[in-house]
Amino acid sequence: MAAESQILSMGQQFSGLPMGALIGGPLEAAAKANQQMAMTQLQFMMITCFNENSTKKGSYDPIMIEMTLDRGVIEPGTEENGNKPSISTMTTSFKLPLLTIIPLNSLAVDDVKVDFEMEVKSSFASNNSTEHKSSTAEKASFSAGGNVGPFHVEVHGSVSHNSSSEAKSDTHYKQSNSAKYSVSVHAGQLPLPQGVKTIIDAYAKNVSPVTLPAAEPVKS
Amino acid sequence: MLINIECPACQQDTIKIEPHMLAQGASFSCPTCLVKISVAQSSKNDIVKGVEAYDAYKNRLAELQEQGNAPELM
Ligand SMILES: [Zn+2]
């Protein structure tokens, strides 16, 4: 039938829609912001927490902060003070990397939600002498997952469409086609890379104290 | 923001420190063995500079996070 060729199929109707831009646009903007955050984090870490080694180019040493540790020590009494025990303060020192005192916080783009519904309609009408009546209805849903930049992305959607055509004896022919497209995109933050966590943990745990050579107990 | 550091003396507990207060000279205690830690005079400048850089970094991150959480539809 000549009229049927003038109505668009469901596939054709959706092919003209900028789905990539509609879903990808906001996600890309969020991913870009997240990438900039990662760069800022890296710059902060390298510039503030490390010094480039002057003898070995391309090698970075963590900036160490010297900390003092005071603890009370009970000293047994001597004959001079009548065997009265006394408490003195012992000072030792240890070094901590600056990185572990002001660690990289895990600020990041929380998640991105893109929800939208589209309805596409196509119809055609003409006078026709052929008698014809039919109707179809379809419903489908889909879901997909993957990674976009630092995000894990899940896309859920559903498509439903109705088709109907009728022709009344010899006067009128009408055909319509409509489809609803609902899309829900959810992108969640991927966790901090294990390697970065391991480095921070290793630094944080490696804090063995050293006794200051000049430390003298302070009698209290 | 509190940072947990494993106590270097008893290694049984964590000492919670606040970087800004630490940079201002505050000391923090281990709840188990009661040792006190603070920044040595020789590292005062380093920690003050580090905390200032950290604040600038956090502000920049907050701006980017806002942009990322409310992306504009292209
Ligand atoms: Zn302790």
Side-chain angles (χ1 to χ4, degrees):
Chain A
M1 192 193 303
E4 278 177 344
S5 64
Q6 296 188 48
I7 203 150
L8 291 172
S9 74
M10 279 305 109
Q12 280 175 301
Q13 290 193 49
F14 285 115
S15 70
L17 288 167
M19 294 299 292
L22 284 168
I23 301 173
L27 263 185
E28 210 175 289
K32 212 170 144 189
N34 224 349
Q35 265 163 10
Q36 279 179 291
M37 286 165 87
M39 279 309 291
T40 309
Q41 209 168 48
L42 183 70
Q43 278 169 354
F44 168 74
M45 189 167 86
M46 296 314 289
I47 296 169
T48 313
C49 303
F50 287 85
N51 277 333
E52 192 171 8
N53 193 306
S54 53
T55 52
K56 206 172 163 193
K57 213 174 178 275
S59 166
Y60 292 83
D61 300 324
I63 295 175
M64 302 300 285
I65 300 293
E66 188 169 352
M67 307 283 293
T68 60
L69 186 151
D70 297 325
R71 70 170 111 188
V73 179
I74 300 171
E75 289 191 53
T78 56
E79 275 184 26
E80 287 167 18
N81 67 6
N83 287 325
K84 269 168 74 186
S86 60
I87 298 172
S88 59
T89 304
M90 189 69 123
T91 301
T92 53
S93 84
F94 64 101
K95 284 183 174 177
L96 268 182
L98 182 58
L99 182 65
T100 59
I101 299 175
I102 43 172
L104 303 170
N105 62 10
S106 50
L107 263 187
V109 175
D110 299 331
D111 54 28
V112 185
K113 281 188 185 130
V114 185
D115 288 302
F116 57 93
E117 203 174 277
M118 299 178 294
E119 194 167 355
V120 183
K121 281 182 178 165
S122 164
S123 63
F124 175 78
S126 76
N127 288 329
N128 199 310
S129 60
T130 311
E131 199 170 312
H132 178 76
K133 196 171 183 180
S134 73
S135 93
T136 57
E138 270 182 63
K139 222 174 176 175
S141 66
F142 61 90
S143 70
N147 292 337
V148 174
F151 294 111
H152 176 72
V153 183
E154 280 171 33
V155 184
H156 301 286
S158 63
V159 183
S160 61
H161 75 81
N162 297 300
S163 244
S164 67
S165 66
E166 59 179 277
K168 273 181 191 168
S169 59
D170 59 349
T171 51
H172 187 64
Y173 177 82
K174 192 174 89 184
Q175 187 171 16
S176 68
N177 217 353
S178 76
K180 253 190 184 170
Y181 200 153
S182 107
V183 177
S184 163
V185 179
H186 178 260
Q189 176 67 27
L190 289 173
L192 207 72
Q194 192 57 39
V196 176
K197 273 193 203 161
T198 308
I199 293 170
I200 293 174
D201 281 355
Y203 276 139
K205 282 180 182 158
N206 197 9
V207 286
S208 43
V210 280
T211 308
L212 278 176
E216 280 291 319
V218 180
K219 300 271 182 191
S220 57
Chain B
M1 186 186 187
L2 293 174
I3 310 294
N4 288 325
I5 290 176
E6 189 181 325
C7 175
C10 69
Q11 283 156 16
Q12 301 292 309
D13 214 328
T14 54
I15 303 179
K16 287 180 170 39
I17 60 168
E18 204 292 308
H20 293 87
M21 289 171 74
L22 190 74
Q24 283 162 17
S27 58
F28 297 86
S29 301
C30 168
T32 298
C33 69
L34 306 176
V35 299
K36 275 200 287 187
I37 62 166
S38 56
V39 173
Q41 194 59 41
S42 59
S43 287
K44 277 263 158 71
N45 276 346
D46 284 341
I47 187 123
V48 168
K49 270 202 286 182
V51 167
E52 280 171 5
Y54 179 66
D55 287 340
Y57 155 78
K58 255 183 26 182
N59 288 340
R60 177 70 187 130
L61 278 197
E63 279 171 27
L64 287 168
Q65 192 180 34
E66 211 170 295
Q67 280 174 30
N69 281 338
E72 281 175 25
L73 199 68
M74 288 177 181

